[in-house]
Amino acid sequence: MRKLVMKMSLSLDGFVCDANGKNDWIFKTGDEESLAWSVEKSSDASLLIMGRKSFELMAPYWPTATGPFAAPMNQIPKAVFTRKGFKGIDAGTAQQTAAEASWTEAQVFDGDLAEEIIALKAGAGKPIVAFGGAEFMQSLIATGLIDEYHLAVHPVVLGLGLPIFTGCKIPFYLKLTEVKAFPGGVVALTYSS
């Protein structure tokens, strides 16, 4: 059985983006070591999952991107979850690169989120790593199926923004399994459920 891991960056006051939906503060507060941690956590996956909005933002960018995240983002298979339908990504030409194909060939799930996550977790292999925006993460948290939370807490207070730990019907308790502090002030917290 595969673990489901949520990987997310948060402000010190618990937001994943500011009130305008921007998260450029992540790049202003990170450093080489926190970046390496994030790439390592992303690379240890058999499947990357995300919501439709994040997928549509990332799919055009990553196939031609360079840098440390490009390899895991383009090599690991992907799945997109949607409640409002998804037409897919235009393949463009018949001669796709492997990176482009990893996005155009993503699995699309539009049924019950919990049922689909349970089915994905039933497979063997490395973890499933969830990326995405606040709405997808809130829905995923509500399923109670996340095994580990990899949270990079950045040294910035936004005051307003979008949280992911909101709307939970009952409290849930997590066990802190790892803490890493990085030179730029980011603190990586790993919790298991």
Side-chain angles (χ1 to χ4, degrees), residues 81-92:
F81 288 80
T82 180
R83 289 184 290 203
K84 297 183 179 174
F86 180 69
K87 295 178 182 170
I89 300 297
D90 182 15

Side-chain angles (χ1 to χ4, degrees), residues 92-137:
T93 66
Q95 296 291 326
Q96 288 187 51
T97 65
E100 290 168 333
S102 81
W103 290 91
T104 60
E105 297 171 2
Q107 295 175 293
V108 177
F109 294 96
D110 59 5
D112 182 80
L113 179 61
E115 289 175 11
E116 291 170 337
I117 293 293
I118 289 168
L120 286 173
K121 287 179 68 172
K126 292 166 110 179
I128 299 164
V129 176
F131 290 93
E135 187 177 339
F136 176 64
M137 289 306 186

Side-chain angles (χ1 to χ4, degrees), residues 83-191:
R83 289 184 290 203
K84 297 183 179 174
F86 180 69
K87 295 178 182 170
I89 300 297
D90 182 15
T93 66
Q95 296 291 326
Q96 288 187 51
T97 65
E100 290 168 333
S102 81
W103 290 91
T104 60
E105 297 171 2
Q107 295 175 293
V108 177
F109 294 96
D110 59 5
D112 182 80
L113 179 61
E115 289 175 11
E116 291 170 337
I117 293 293
I118 289 168
L120 286 173
K121 287 179 68 172
K126 292 166 110 179
I128 299 164
V129 176
F131 290 93
E135 187 177 339
F136 176 64
M137 289 306 186
Q138 290 168 359
S139 297
L140 201 57
I141 292 165
T143 68
L145 296 170
I146 298 173
D147 299 295
E148 288 184 4
Y149 294 80
H150 295 180
L151 306 175
V153 180
H154 290 253
V156 59
V157 176
L158 299 176
L160 292 172
L162 294 174
I164 56 171
F165 295 105
T166 186
C168 296
K169 303 289 185 221
I170 57 171
F172 61 97
Y173 298 90
L174 303 172
K175 179 181 178 189
L176 181 64
T177 59
E178 183 179 37
V179 176
K180 287 191 175 192
F182 299 106
V186 173
V187 177
L189 305 169
T190 301
Y191 291 95

